[in-house]
Amino acid sequence: GEDVEQSLFLSVREGDSSVINCTYTDSSSTYLYWYKQEPGAGLQLLTYIFSNMDMKQDQRLTVLLNKKDKHLSLRIADTQTGDSAIYFCAESGRTGGFKTIFGAGTRLFVKA
Amino acid sequence: DTAVSQTPKYLVTQMGNDKSIKCEQNLGHDTMYWYKQDSKKFLKIMFSYNNKELIINETVPNRFSPKSPDKAHLNLHINSLELGDSAVYFCASSQAGEGEKLFFGSGTQLSVL
């Protein structure tokens, strides 16, 4: 079946930029998403990108999509301690029946 | 005004019992879901309903039975609970035609003893 992979951990210092990477296998992906999960809470949609876009910027967040390599990244500028959370990459596409497939999540630790 | 609310937040029960989790959304969305998140935070879809009709039914044991009385509610009933059912269960909703942008509830932590 379709698969989404991302590294499990990332540690950065407060004020630095964080880059979380993700790869996916579904060549028919239509939308790609980044969700954030804080402890004890549900997932919150941070941002998403349509598959015909290369980049999307939203305040401190920049999403880059390399469709040829099936690679998605999320850059968080000026990372704050409040950004510490689990970040999930996800995709939905025709091959998967438009179900959203999630990666295992990247745990971001921000050191003060 | 919670957009997607699910109850209870915590559920502790004995093996073999039957339990239900309720979910309601006030976003006017037409699609609702149940996801299961295991201890390693891996998230997997269980069911999806669109306008009260079941459209996704993953390989979930038939001890799990969803029920959608109307498009704003999707409940999950679990019979004969097993230790392996312990997880966090998330309800979510989305509106068709908007790229399946999911809005999640805060989760129900189920512990089977």
Side-chain angles (χ1 to χ4, degrees):
Chain A
E2 303 311 316
D3 198 20
V4 176
E5 292 194 357
Q6 50 185 129
S7 53
L8 291 183
F9 298 98
L10 177 65
S11 179
V12 300
R13 291 191 182 279
E14 192 174 23
D16 288 350
S17 291
S18 308
V19 179
I20 303 172
N21 294 299
C22 168
T23 57
Y24 59 96
T25 59
D26 185 357
S27 56
S28 74
S29 287
T30 308
Y31 287 94
L32 296 116
Y33 314 83
W34 284 104
Y35 285 84
K36 177 183 180 182
Q37 185 179 29
E38 296 182 354
L43 280 71
Q44 174 193 0
L45 179 64
L46 274 183
T47 186
Y48 66 97
I49 189 167
F50 192 57
S51 59
N52 66 356
M53 298 169 64
D54 297 324
M55 185 182 90
K56 181 177 181 181
Q57 188 149 5
D58 183 3
Q59 300 182 334
R60 291 190 298 123
L61 305 178
T62 303
V63 178
L64 294 178
L65 174 61
N66 182 327
K67 198 171 178 181
K68 174 176 169 289
D69 294 338
K70 298 191 186 70
H71 182 268
L72 183 74
S73 68
L74 173 69
R75 179 177 179 269
I76 306 173
D78 187 25
T79 313
Q80 302 298 306
T81 53
D83 294 325
S84 293
I86 303 176
Y87 290 81
F88 290 90
C89 174
E91 64 88 17
S92 62
R94 189 173 57 249
T95 304
F98 295 103
K99 290 181 296 188
T100 301
I101 309 297
F102 286 86
T106 298
R107 287 129 184 90
L108 175 64
F109 300 95
V110 182
K111 296 175 285 189
Chain B
D1 284 351
T2 306
V4 181
S5 59
Q6 51 183 110
T7 55
K9 185 158 178 68
Y10 300 97
L11 189 50
V12 182
T13 189
Q14 300 285 335
M15 256 190 341
N17 284 350
D18 303 338
K19 290 293 178 187
S20 292
I21 307 172
K22 294 186 176 182
C23 179
E24 175 182 4
Q25 55 95 4
N26 63 5
L27 297 166
H29 288 165
D30 59 6
T31 308
M32 294 186 72
Y33 312 78
W34 279 109
Y35 279 85
K36 179 180 180 180
Q37 187 174 47
D38 63 23
S39 58
K40 295 183 178 178
K41 303 299 184 184
F42 187 71
L43 200 68
K44 188 165 183 191
I45 190 167
M46 300 172 70
F47 302 104
S48 172
Y49 271 73
N50 177 264
N51 284 316
K52 302 194 299 174
E53 290 202 21
L54 182 66
I55 54 171
I56 293 175
N57 183 354
E58 292 296 289
T59 50
V60 177
N62 58 14
R63 297 182 295 104
F64 290 78
S65 52
K67 189 167 184 180
S68 182
D70 56 62
K71 73 174 192 176
H73 295 84
L74 180 62
N75 303 322
L76 183 65
H77 189 76
I78 316 169
N79 288 327
S80 303
L81 278 155
E82 299 177 358
L83 294 176
D85 297 332
S86 296
V88 181
Y89 293 84
F90 286 101
C91 177
S93 71
S94 71
Q95 180 62 33
E98 295 184 4
E100 202 179 83
K101 288 177 278 186
L102 296 166
F103 289 77
F104 282 83
S106 58
T108 296
Q109 170 88 57
L110 172 64
S111 299
V112 183
L113 306 177

